[in-house]
Amino acid sequence: MIPWEEKLSIWRGMPTETAEEILWADNYYREELVPLALKRFAKRYENKQFPDYYGMILLLGSSWEDLAFNVGLLSPQNIHVICRKEDMPAYRHLVDNLQLEEDRCLCTTIPEDGVSVLYHVIKKQHDIWDSMGKSAVDITGGDAVMLPAAAMAAAVFDMDVYRLSFEREAKSRKHKPGTERMIRIESVQPFLAP
């Protein structure tokens, strides 16, 4: 078995001048590094207690890998992904790579300026899940508009909010495997009491 640091070194050294080389490097990243990084991430948090989530709403961009860490660790019973139409392939990769049950996964595409649609989707999903159990929102894949909008909606519905923190590789702009940290954003609810 090739050690972790050596696999990272191999990936960093792969040529990425042509479309074919980029594809090879991306496949190596996805098939060799991400699974190991997910295992290391789970091991880092193995002694930490997390709530059991009936559902989790996920903001997804073009990179499914960024969401896989918190979803894989928290293991919600259901997920509802909110993304742009062009990011649907990333949704398929997330479901396939985490081996999620299709009947427990929903995906809603929204337009770029769809904050009101985002609010509607989060409210409707919260109303459905709330009677079944606790739910959360992962804002890792959100863009500059959707991220704060989803966090505000989560605060209104008293849903837990998560985000994945990581370093970026300078060359590929992908996140650097092994640098992932879970951030749970503290609820505003205790501060609202008179």
Side-chain angles (χ1 to χ4, degrees):
M1 177 180 257
I2 300 173
W4 169 256
E5 288 299 326
E6 192 173 329
K7 285 191 177 199
L8 268 177
S9 181
I10 290 169
W11 174 61
R12 288 182 180 134
M14 294 178 90
T16 54
E17 301 301 317
T18 68
E20 186 178 16
E21 290 172 343
I22 291 170
L23 183 62
W24 277 97
D26 286 350
N27 285 340
Y28 187 85
Y29 176 83
R30 206 171 23 252
E31 293 172 19
E32 296 293 330
L33 294 177
V34 171
L36 288 176
L38 286 167
K39 287 178 186 172
R40 291 169 63 111
F41 184 77
K43 184 143 183 71
R44 181 179 305 125
Y45 293 100
E46 70 184 351
N47 295 323
K48 192 163 168 76
Q49 295 292 325
F50 296 104
D52 290 326
Y53 292 110
Y54 182 77
M56 195 164 192
I57 295 171
L58 314 169
L59 299 185
L60 176 66
S62 60
S63 176
W64 67 270
E65 296 95 342
D66 297 346
L67 289 178
F69 290 88
N70 288 341
V71 173
L73 183 65
L74 297 171
S75 300
Q77 292 180 41
N78 301 279
I79 66 166
H80 189 150
V81 172
I82 301 172
C83 66
R84 308 268 189 258
K85 188 175 183 179
E86 60 269 18
D87 297 324
M88 282 297 292
Y91 167 72
R92 290 291 349 133
H93 286 300
L94 178 70
V95 171
D96 294 345
N97 283 281
L98 290 182
Q99 299 175 342
L100 302 172
E101 296 176 36
E102 291 283 341
D103 61 339
R104 298 207 170 263
C105 302
L106 295 170
C107 184
T108 300
T109 59
I110 62 172
E112 194 161 324
D113 58 350
V115 172
S116 61
V117 177
L118 176 80
Y119 289 150
H120 177 75
V121 170
I122 292 175
K123 180 186 183 337
K124 185 176 179 183
Q125 193 61 69
H126 171 267
D127 291 349
I128 293 168
W129 285 344
D130 193 43
S131 64
M132 304 302 287
K134 191 160 182 60
S135 56
V137 176
D138 187 316
I139 59 174
T140 303
D143 64 23
V145 175
M146 295 305 167
L147 185 152
M152 288 191 310
V156 168
F157 299 118
D158 196 21
M159 299 168 75
D160 292 341
V161 179
Y162 291 89
R163 179 162 174 73
L164 187 73
S165 169
F166 51 84
E167 295 174 22
R168 287 213 181 267
E169 288 283 338
K171 180 180 168 185
S172 68
R173 299 304 304 150
K174 289 189 178 296
H175 84 257
K176 181 180 175 183
T179 65
E180 303 85 6
R181 298 287 181 268
M182 174 189 281
I183 298 172
R184 182 175 178 188
I185 299 171
E186 188 176 352
S187 173
V188 71
Q189 294 299 325
F191 301 95
L192 299 178

